[in-house]
Amino acid sequence: MRTQVAIVGAGPAGLLLSHLLHLRGISSVVLEKRSRDYVERRVRAGVLEQGTVDTLIEADVGERMLREGLPHHGIELRYGGAGHRIPFDKLVPGRSITVYGQQEVVKDLIAARLAAGGDIRFEVEDVALHSLESEPYVTFGGERLDCDVIAGCDGFHGVSRPAIPEGVLTVFEKDYPFAWLGILAKVAPSSEELIYTRTERGFALHSMRSPTVSRFYLQVPADARLEEWPDERTWGELKARLESVPGFTLATGEIVERGITPMRAFVAEPMQYGRLYLAGDAAHIVPPTGAKGLNLAVADVRVLTDALAAYFEDGSTEPLDGYSRACLKRVWRAQHFSWWMTTLLHTFDEDDAYARRLQLSYLDYVTSSEAAATTLAENYVGLPY
């Protein structure tokens, strides 16, 4: 087999790249080790930046998102017994976020690719990348796929990044001393917008997926296990952290999914080697506090699509040569914002009273200064491309 671009991974990055390339007349084959059902059901992020929303609309895959997604024009920071709204519509006019599950984006992209005759191979085995410096090809399940370029979109644990020779990449990483317990519950949201809560008991986040399904997160110890958090304890702790302002009552319901997410950051530089280009979690991950993971993947793919179009249309290699440099500027901005949001809202060393007072002082500044609130707002909704 032969194609112009071999794409490893059928997550949002790989699927969107395949679709955007199709719109530019560039062929691709997507290889995914998981089943279609698994990929479409895998619950991940649900906050889409303005740029991500615009990208999906421009690519003609945003119809269901516009119909079912939940536009939000602000978030609430809750601490010290009071709630403080950060109004995106006032601070960054014309820019907002949309709550729409990552798995729904994946469903839309798969449907669009298959409707257009796209080649997506699910449940492929033994994927391996070869000859990255000259004439790249991918082998899988006893087959060989020749290509001009390989896009590694297979996540942090995929095969793409490890295919780069040792010593080429510089890795930056940070582990946080806690994790997030996340639950999905069949209950109407108790708030119209996301609530980020800082308490002495730890951080909590009230989010949502639809008018009838809510998403919640709790800061828990890094070594926490799911069996330690039965429904009663989970709801009790969510209530203790979220019902910290007068008049607010948290509605509870059936928990249909739960999981524990380690809090860590990772960046591999450069995001390319030879004719292999990494995108999304294959190159970088961020703690979920800033809601940047999926959105960074979309930003990478936009840059890579334009670079590949220039290469296949007129042979220009300059955009491809500068791919990593262009992406990393945004990646590091998102890394800083995610770190900042994480340190602003989580409980760290219980004995460090000095750090806690600094944290509260900065929260007071963000919620009282329009300049500080604007910095949060413009980073949260996503910087323009």
Side-chain angles (χ1 to χ4, degrees):
M1 292 186 296
R2 178 164 183 84
T3 190
Q4 289 172 291
V5 182
I7 301 173
V8 184
L15 292 168
L16 180 60
L17 176 62
S18 178
H19 187 66
L20 293 178
L21 291 176
H22 163 71
L23 296 177
R24 305 288 282 268
I26 300 168
S27 66
S28 67
V29 175
V30 181
L31 304 175
E32 169 59 49
K33 70 176 183 178
R34 302 284 193 175
S35 69
R36 177 179 178 180
D37 181 69
Y38 178 91
V39 170
E40 291 186 337
R41 290 177 179 270
R42 183 170 46 190
V43 176
R44 290 291 187 271
V47 174
L48 307 185
E49 293 179 354
Q50 184 68 56
T52 298
V53 170
D54 294 343
T55 299
L56 296 175
I57 293 172
E58 292 165 6
D60 293 326
V61 288
E63 180 181 352
R64 193 163 69 93
M65 173 192 66
L66 291 174
R67 187 173 65 249
E68 300 179 9
L70 305 175
H72 285 194
H73 300 283
I75 59 172
E76 179 184 329
L77 299 183
R78 185 173 290 186
Y79 70 99
H84 308 266
R85 186 172 186 265
I86 306 297
F88 302 153
D89 43 3
K90 174 186 175 183
L91 300 170
V92 281
R95 302 182 67 78
S96 61
I97 61 166
T98 296
V99 175
Y100 187 64
Q102 175 174 311
Q103 73 273 22
E104 305 305 323
V105 174
V106 167
K107 291 175 186 176
D108 295 341
L109 288 168
I110 289 176
R113 292 303 303 122
L114 295 180
D119 192 344
I120 308 175
R121 309 288 181 95
F122 293 102
E123 299 182 82
V124 299
E125 298 179 348
D126 302 322
V127 176
L129 284 55
H130 308 272
S131 191
L132 301 180
E133 295 182 5
S134 54
E135 298 179 352
Y137 65 96
V138 181
T139 55
F140 61 98
E143 299 190 61
R144 170 171 169 154
L145 174 63
D146 291 289
C147 55
D148 297 287
V149 168
I150 300 174
C153 305
D154 51 344
F156 181 78
H157 297 289
V159 300
S160 296
R161 190 180 67 254
I164 297 175
E166 187 175 351
V168 171
L169 298 178
T170 300
V171 171
F172 304 86
E173 50 190 331
K174 176 180 178 60
D175 293 309
Y176 291 85
F178 43 76
W180 271 15
L181 167 67
I183 66 167
L184 197 67
K186 289 184 177 180
V187 59
S190 300
S191 169
E192 293 183 355
E193 296 178 335
L194 278 71
I195 303 173
Y196 287 79
T197 300
R198 184 262 182 214
T199 74
E200 292 299 322
R201 304 176 69 97
F203 166 81
L205 172 60
H206 178 304
S207 184
M208 60 285 293
R209 286 295 179 267
S210 75
T212 59
V213 177
S214 297
R215 183 80 161 150
F216 301 95
Y217 296 97
L218 280 172
Q219 176 186 351
V220 296
D223 59 354
R225 296 175 297 167
L226 286 177
E227 54 267 30
E228 299 172 337
W229 288 89
D231 290 10
E232 184 178 358
R233 184 187 182 190
T234 299
W235 284 122
E237 195 61 34
L238 282 167
K239 279 180 165 289
R241 299 185 195 185
L242 288 166
E243 292 181 346
S244 55
V245 298
F248 179 84
T249 300
L250 179 67
T252 63
E254 178 189 1
I255 297 177
V256 294
E257 185 169 319
R258 62 176 69 235
I260 292 179
T261 302
M263 297 286 284
R264 63 190 306 252
F266 175 91
V267 180
E269 297 185 8
M271 292 170 55
Q272 60 192 92
Y273 172 76
R275 296 196 177 187
L276 168 64
Y277 300 86
L278 304 177
D281 287 1
H284 45 73
I285 57 175
V286 290
T289 324
K292 293 301 171 196
L294 168 61
N295 296 295
L296 277 181
V298 171
D300 291 347
V301 164
R302 285 178 60 110
V303 175
L304 185 54
T305 298
D306 288 341
L308 289 171
Y311 175 72
F312 287 115
E313 288 169 6
D314 58 27
S316 175
T317 60
E318 185 176 349
L320 277 176
D321 293 340
Y323 166 72
S324 179
R325 183 173 61 254
C327 290
L328 285 170
K329 184 176 181 180
R330 192 180 192 94
V331 166
W332 279 110
R333 174 88 297 277
Q335 288 284 342
H336 179 267
F337 178 67
S338 298
W339 166 85
W340 179 75
M341 285 284 284
T342 302
T343 55
L344 186 67
L345 295 164
H346 289 74
T347 302
F348 286 81
D349 187 347
E350 294 180 357
D351 298 324
D352 194 345
Y354 179 82
R356 292 204 303 278
R357 292 304 295 265
L358 288 179
Q359 188 181 48
L360 291 171
S361 173
Y362 208 101
L363 279 165
D364 287 340
Y365 177 53
V366 168
T367 56
S368 62
S369 163
E370 185 169 311
T374 300
T375 295
L376 190 159
E378 68 177 0
N379 280 274
Y380 197 93
V381 302
L383 299 175
Y385 291 125

